Amino acid sequence: MKISAHAVGRMVGAWQEGPGPAHRRLSDRLRLLILDGRLCLGAALPGERDLAGAIGTSRTTVGAAYRTLVEHGYLETRERARATVRLPHEDAPAGRRRAGGADAETINLSFAAPPAPPEVLHAAFATALERLPLHFERHGYDRYGAGELREAVAGWYGRRGLATSPGQVMITSGAQHAIGLLARTLLSPRDKVLFDHPTYPHAIRAFTDARARLLPVAVGPSGWDVPQLLAGARSAQLAYLIPDFHNPTGLYMSAEARRSLRPACPVIIDETLADLRLDGDAGREAEPFAAHHPSTISIGSVSKSIWGGLRIGWIRAEPALLERVARTRPATDLGTPVVEQLAAAALLDAGQTRRPEALRQLRAQQDVLLEALAEHLPEVHAPRAPGGVTLWARFPEPVGSRLAAIAPDHGVTIAAGPQFGIGGAFERHVRLPYTLPAARLTEAVRRLASAHRALTAGATGTHVPAAVA
Ligand SMILES: Cc1ncc(COP(=O)(O)O)c(C=O)c1O
């Protein structure tokens, strides 16, 4: 795939900022885009002259930057052909080992997902196995999901103040599956999708895979900009919003904003984190978005409130829309595994998605993460989130991608801000989850501080970004 000089120019953004010679800054920026997957493998970069023109520099600077990337294994050149993106062989670059030779295992802060609650799951699967024989006479392929779970999900909405019938529910294999199914059902190439910026990275991926155009609207420290969203929705074919403990910021949309936000296009509301209120202020609970706007397509999941390994999520929408999704679905899957559905039904029926003890523990871990940041990285600004599983931490300088590329050398992986946006935005941010035990979180922040010190001293990292969830 050929990438135009203007597209690369947009991606490199403010590459001129920072210390060191211009060609180093440019090759560093291109290398991070490659490691991040924003410049994908095999992509053909623009010629030196074109890129130099697009980013306002000399051809010599671009040539030197390209040569550095070739030397380090990130570009391949052939006579009279564009340079193409590649990755160095596993054994090539230095820096894949931990600095200082320490042998402790790497701490994964790229995944924002709690560990499983073993006893709770065990009991749910015992119930599921008791109920399973009732399904044996059926074929087991069900595009809408098991009746027990559709009822249990309808009950979950009912308890949150949104009357729902099982006919309005389709079970999916996680919320990401729901996003992918909806993107494929609702979008045509070049349609515009409006979304919070930053947002959940795999949603962006699902929309770009559907060849949609992306229309980001900023979510600031104080929340959603309703007039901007309304204006954007007028030219969009679909909106995707996360009003309940937004990933990555943890923000919660006020009841007033929910009421006044009447987008002119269909809207997907992602409630994956809706059960994770941590500020103890149940009185501030707003009604689900769909209670104000009946045509809303809501999606949910038990991945964050119970365990991602269950791979159970759902879509709540008008039956006519679910029928369209059901027609799209067989192209990729023929239904969700029955035993997991029965276990999820038992969990939802027993109210296990809001376990006070689990929420108290998450809140305590959030405290520990904030304290560790204050001690080891005091220059980082990380507002306390009212819920969810992550902090959206801001460094004074644009170091997000470089920090993510060097952090594994110091024993920790993190997700850099630009993974949550488009066009190279959020380079000052990293997302930090508080789903690990307290001692691991403190140690992770210590390691991150060590990575940050190394970066400030001029070191660079070569790690490909870890998978994010
Ligand atoms: C906002 C949001 N939506 C969807 C997902 C995907 O959830 P699932 O594991 O149910 O596919 C996540 C997971 O992190 C998420 O944070």
Side-chain angles (χ1 to χ4, degrees), residues 112 173-177 179 200 240 242 247 270 272-273 299-304 308 311-313 431 469:
S173 302
Q176 178 60 25
H177 182 213
I179 298 170
Y200 174 58
Y240 165 80
I242 316 172
N247 183 358
D270 187 336
T272 294
L273 297 134
I299 63 172
S301 165
V302 295
S303 290
K304 307 293 157 167
R311 306 308 310 132
I312 293 290
R431 186 192 69 173

Side-chain angles (χ1 to χ4, degrees), residues 77-136:
T77 45
R78 263 171 298 125
E79 194 115 348
R80 272 194 270 282
R82 286 172 166 228
T84 52
V85 171
R86 63 184 293 260
L87 280 176
H89 295 300
E90 277 289 307
D91 51 357
R96 284 188 183 271
R97 291 175 302 280
R98 287 274 313 275
D103 57 358
E105 103 199 60
T106 298
I107 301 177
N108 186 335
L109 286 190
S110 315
F111 268 67
E119 276 132 43
V120 171
L121 272 187
H122 196 273
F125 273 94
T127 308
L129 288 178
E130 274 167 29
R131 292 182 185 161
L132 185 62
L134 297 173
H135 289 258
F136 284 163

